[in-house]
Amino acid sequence: MATEVVQLTRRGFGQTMRRDAWWVQPLVVFVVLTAFLIYATWAAFQNKYFAFGNYLSPFYSPLLFSDSPHAWIHGGRPSWIPGFLPFSPALLILPFPAGFRLTCYYYRGAYYKSFWADPPSCTVGEPRKSYRGERYLPLVLQNVHRYFLYVALIFLIILASDAYRAMWFVDPATGRESFGIGLGTIVLILNVVLLGGYTLGCHSLRHLVGGYIDQLSRAPVRKKSYDCVSCLNRGHMRWAWLSLVWVAFSDLFIRLCAMGIWHDVRLF
Ligand code: FES
């Protein structure tokens, strides 16, 4: 049989035979992620306007140390934090959800393309000649994702309890709590739903609930869990973006209400 030797040539940076607008997606990812990082960092350093009545911003939850009634430990800045360091309760907790997103399998693919063009998109030439994968430092550290998942699941429970608390309004005249739904309640419930869709569709969770079992059909509970996680996992990219945008909007909504710029509407 005749054999033909095909010479493969490496494409130069940005070279491609694609005719579609392949650069749009990485550009949008770059813009949205950068905007989110700037806003979240700014909001975390503010250390004010993070609560409005029974609403607490998800950027500050769990609120470990603060004078706010939402705080787990009252009294503001703890004495063990050196005085030269800036303090905000958000700075103590945000590294966990940030680490969860940063090491997420989907986001990795997205920001590798848009932030360091590795490659800029499928079948588009990249700026470097070697491929080291994620087997060496620092990218091998991405493997900690499964541990961030455990913390993210705890955060999800805490945020769900915040959404429940957002249904109980204190009457300023009597000091009594009564059940109600405000716009902020809906914002916080939706935040938990979207974060739940994102977290519970995690690839690591999928492996955890059934990915390593040889005969999944023999473990019906695991099989059902695996199917549910797989179902969410199919839309993981959508959940990732919707939950990212909504968590920032939830903070913005509560912040602007606390500043008196927006007004919460009590629906009943
Ligand atoms: S893979 Fe995206 S959250 Fe785990």
Side-chain angles (χ1 to χ4, degrees):
M1 191 169 76
T3 55
E4 189 181 348
V5 177
V6 177
Q7 202 69 40
L8 293 176
T9 53
R10 178 177 287 278
R11 291 192 176 96
F13 177 41
Q15 282 184 340
T16 182
M17 294 176 76
R18 287 177 63 170
R19 293 180 178 275
D20 61 328
W22 58 265
W23 48 271
V24 171
Q25 192 169 340
L27 181 66
V28 171
V29 169
F30 181 82
V31 170
V32 176
L33 273 186
T34 304
F36 178 83
L37 284 173
I38 293 171
Y39 176 77
T41 307
W42 173 82
F45 274 95
Q46 290 302 296
N47 196 10
K48 56 185 177 184
Y49 303 126
F50 52 79
F52 178 67
N54 49 341
Y55 304 152
L56 175 63
S57 162
F59 280 178
Y60 283 75
S61 181
L63 187 60
L64 298 180
F65 304 100
S66 172
D67 293 327
S68 159
H70 292 271
W72 289 19
I73 300 169
H74 293 270
R77 181 189 185 109
S79 56
W80 49 265
I81 295 183
F84 62 88
L85 288 178
F87 172 72
S88 163
L91 297 175
L92 300 175
I93 54 134
L94 279 187
F96 297 100
F100 183 54
R101 291 215 184 236
L102 194 72
T103 57
C104 162
Y105 290 86
Y106 163 67
Y107 278 116
R108 271 143 74 173
Y111 70 75
Y112 287 176
K113 288 186 180 78
S114 53
F115 279 77
W116 58 81
D118 197 14
S121 192
C122 296
T123 73
V124 179
E126 52 191 316
R128 50 194 74 73
K129 292 190 170 57
S130 61
Y131 176 72
R132 287 164 56 84
E134 292 178 327
R135 286 181 297 148
Y136 306 95
L137 279 171
L139 293 185
V140 71
L141 294 177
Q142 301 276 29
N143 286 320
V144 297
H145 183 64
R146 77 195 73 165
Y147 302 109
F148 278 121
L149 166 69
Y150 305 146
V151 183
L153 290 171
I154 297 170
F155 271 53
L156 198 57
I157 295 169
I158 295 169
L159 291 175
S161 79
D162 288 343
Y164 175 74
R165 191 169 177 186
M167 298 175 191
W168 295 92
F169 294 80
V170 178
D171 185 332
T174 62
R176 279 204 184 147
E177 280 192 340
S178 61
F179 178 79
I181 299 284
L183 265 185
T185 317
I186 293 173
V187 168
L188 290 179
I189 290 174
L190 207 48
N191 181 51
V192 175
V193 171
L194 294 173
L195 283 175
Y198 171 58
T199 308
L200 300 178
C202 170
H203 293 268
S204 293
L205 184 62
R206 188 162 175 260
H207 176 75
L208 194 69
V209 297
Y212 57 90
I213 296 178
D214 282 342
Q215 283 184 290
L216 197 53
S217 54
R218 289 196 170 182
V221 176
R222 278 180 175 261
K223 167 87 172 65
K224 192 79 198 154
S225 314
Y226 185 77
D227 289 345
C228 289
V229 177
S230 299
C231 178
L232 289 171
N233 184 267
R234 282 192 282 278
H236 197 51
M237 181 180 81
R238 259 194 311 279
W239 290 111
W241 288 113
L242 287 173
S243 61
L244 184 91
V245 171
W246 200 259
V247 76
F249 177 74
S250 304
D251 178 86
L252 183 70
F253 180 88
I254 291 166
R255 187 169 297 282
L256 293 180
C257 287
M259 294 169 78
I261 297 172
W262 280 2
H263 299 285
D264 184 44
V265 178
R266 179 89 177 261
L267 302 176
F268 66 84

